[in-house]
Amino acid sequence: TPDVTGLQQAAVTALAALRDTDSLPEFERIARDPKIDQNVRYSAVEGVLALADAKTADRLLLDLIERKDDKLRGFALVRAGKRK
């Protein structure tokens, strides 16, 4: 439901803003799960990019890019292009 999705997205965003590195494994799980709302997944990807080391972040983006039917594929391509 939209209310739950908004709360999930806010929770992921808040944990990333707090730099809660203990949340990284959960962010990665959420980002890779196509059954989870894509807006929540966008926030999880951003959380991984903000908190993870470069190797972990790049691995997540490449994994999403390789999934041809994944709704986050285009987002991952853009974010990969912006990385240094």
Side-chain angles (χ1 to χ4, degrees), residues 8-54:
Q8 290 170 332
Q9 186 175 8
V12 169
T13 301
L15 288 169
L18 291 170
R19 311 226 22 103
D20 182 9
T21 55
D22 291 339
S23 298
L24 266 172
E26 189 65 12
F27 288 173
E28 288 187 72
R29 184 194 66 76
I30 291 168
R32 287 184 168 92
D33 188 343
K35 295 178 185 167
I36 293 177
D37 180 85
Q38 73 183 35
N39 291 317
V40 177
R41 292 177 67 208
Y42 289 143
S43 295
V45 170
E46 292 294 352
V48 171
L49 297 179
L51 300 176
D53 60 78

